[in-house]
Amino acid sequence: MESETQVTGKEQAAAEEEKPMNIMVAIDESDDSFSSLRWALDTIIKRPSQILTVVHVMEPMPRYAFPGGQVVESASKAQQDNAAKLLSRASEQCKEKSVNAKTLILEGDPKDTICSAVEEMNVNLLIVGSRGLGQIKRAFLGSVSDYCVHHAKCAVLVVRQPKRTT
Amino acid sequence: MKVLVAIDESEESFYALQWAVDDLLSYSPAAEENAIAAVTLLHVYPPFQPFIYPSGPGMHLVYATPVVIHSVNKAQREKAASILSRALTICTEKNVKAETLIMEGDAKDKICEMADELQVDLVVMGSRGHGAIKRAWLGSVSSYCVHNLHCNILVVKLPLGEGKPTGSK
């Protein structure tokens, strides 16, 4: 890949050949993950060759926990609505930064699902927040992020909340 | 954006650096603040224990002579310098500004320390370095840093089944 970018950072003409790079950002209901999306949009997603997919994994409600079938149905529907809302919020964030992102809703155990999705979709970079829903303050790294760093077959970027304003 | 890249002599860490330089750092849109990354390449080498434990009953510690210590230190520093110069070449090839830093001590502690001290925004490292146990997905230094760094961290893994990073992905 030939590059004539100067150190001053002059924009290179679009003629520069770029290989597509698949970037996946995992989102849950936590603010942490939306901050990580925002950070990624600000600092990482810079080239047209980067393809961004925002993914949300719904954990299926345990069907045996509820006595009646109807409760489960509506809970599941509520989950799907919630997922759609999350992803539309993520979409909005991407649009604000003029980034064209794909959204994806998956179902299953978040950590396994994310890692399988990485493999299936040939993701080159997975971006996760450091803590999601399990807001145990002393734990520096949530279980899903931890699992992904260890097991995802691609590069993994863990975004932490900045301690200072940049 | 301030970036710290942890380098050792392993292939993983050079692959991580190459990946980061190619895909993250060598593109800076014009006139954007924080767009240009300032990279610090950090190499930590373990301290040389200047004593030898002889085996056998009733033996006590034997301390290496100053000559030995001196030559080992010198060799370590030369090795560190050559690792970093190779790393620096990777950066300059893509017009990425980089500085080098050599430290002695426990890699994981030093990386976390320097990341805090330099107030970096992102630490980049390979997934496995010295202890290339094939079954372990993530080496001890990377694992420690992922858990203990206060800033963002990027762990780059060698693609499976590939010995050396090729030019194309």
Side-chain angles (χ1 to χ4, degrees), chain A residues 61 63 66 68-82:
Chain A
M61 305 281 274
R63 299 200 178 256
F66 301 100
Q70 278 172 337
V71 180
V72 177
E73 295 295 320
S74 60
S76 173
K77 175 94 181 23
Q79 258 197 324
Q80 280 169 354
D81 288 342
N82 187 38

Side-chain angles (χ1 to χ4, degrees), chain A residues 5 9 47 149 152 156 158 160, chain B residues 22 28 95 152-153 155 157:
Chain A
T5 345
R47 315 189 212 200
V149 171
V156 181
V158 177
R160 296 219 140 90
Chain B
D22 286 343
S28 332
N95 273 323
N152 305 334
I153 173 163
V155 176
K157 305 176 188 185

Side-chain angles (χ1 to χ4, degrees), chain B residues 49-72:
Chain B
Q49 313 282 10
F51 42 78
I52 307 156
Y53 292 95
S55 59
M59 297 287 267
H60 51 272
L61 289 182
V62 176
Y63 284 87
T65 63
V67 173
V68 172
I69 296 175
H70 179 73
S71 74
V72 170

Side-chain angles (χ1 to χ4, degrees), chain B residues 43-104:
Chain B
H43 175 70
V44 184
Y45 62 84
F48 173 57
Q49 313 282 10
F51 42 78
I52 307 156
Y53 292 95
S55 59
M59 297 287 267
H60 51 272
L61 289 182
V62 176
Y63 284 87
T65 63
V67 173
V68 172
I69 296 175
H70 179 73
S71 74
V72 170
N73 276 337
K74 184 158 172 289
Q76 273 183 328
R77 278 197 297 273
E78 279 171 3
K79 185 168 153 203
S82 85
I83 289 172
L84 283 179
S85 89
R86 187 179 152 200
L88 201 53
T89 313
I90 294 178
C91 293
T92 52
E93 270 173 11
K94 298 279 172 153
N95 273 323
V96 174
K97 276 192 298 192
E99 288 177 349
T100 61
L101 191 56
I102 301 179
M103 296 191 81
E104 185 181 341

Side-chain angles (χ1 to χ4, degrees), chain B residues 6-8 44 106-112 123 125-131 138-149 153 155:
Chain B
I7 298 279
D8 62 15
V44 184
D106 188 1
K108 46 190 195 290
D109 292 327
K110 290 295 172 198
I111 292 171
C112 294
V123 170
M125 53 184 18
S127 59
R128 281 198 314 255
H130 291 289
L138 197 67
S140 62
V141 175
S142 318
S143 189
Y144 181 88
C145 290
V146 164
H147 285 85
N148 292 287
L149 277 173
I153 173 163
V155 176

Side-chain angles (χ1 to χ4, degrees), chain A residues 1-12 16 18-21 39 42-44 46-48 50 124-126 140-141 146 148-164 166, chain B residues 1 19-32 34-36 93-95 97 119-122 137-138 142-143 145-160 167-169:
Chain A
M1 199 154 73
E2 286 309 310
S3 161
E4 260 149 337
T5 345
Q6 292 172 23
V7 185
T8 52
K10 279 239 196 78
E11 195 165 348
Q12 185 62 20
E16 186 180 77
E18 299 264 355
K19 287 172 200 77
M21 180 174 163
W39 186 87
D42 285 340
T43 42
I44 306 282
K46 296 279 179 210
R47 315 189 212 200
Q50 292 165 321
N124 303 110
L125 173 63
L126 173 66
F140 254 175
L141 192 66
D146 189 30
C148 291
V149 171
H150 283 78
H151 292 90
K153 301 269 192 330
C154 65
V156 181
L157 204 160
V158 177
V159 181
R160 296 219 140 90
Q161 293 306 317
K163 294 254 159 139
R164 63 193 186 285
T166 34
Chain B
M1 175 169 71
W19 193 96
V21 163
D22 286 343
D23 290 331
L24 291 186
L25 302 173
S26 61
Y27 179 84
S28 332
E32 237 190 71
N34 296 332
I36 301 169
E93 270 173 11
K94 298 279 172 153
N95 273 323
K97 276 192 298 192
Q119 299 257 289
V120 296
D121 301 300
L122 176 66
W137 284 120
L138 197 67
S142 318
S143 189
C145 290
V146 164
H147 285 85
N148 292 287
L149 277 173
H150 296 120
C151 63
N152 305 334
I153 173 163
L154 172 63
V155 176
V156 183
K157 305 176 188 185
L158 272 186
L160 291 175
S168 58
K169 282 186 273 295

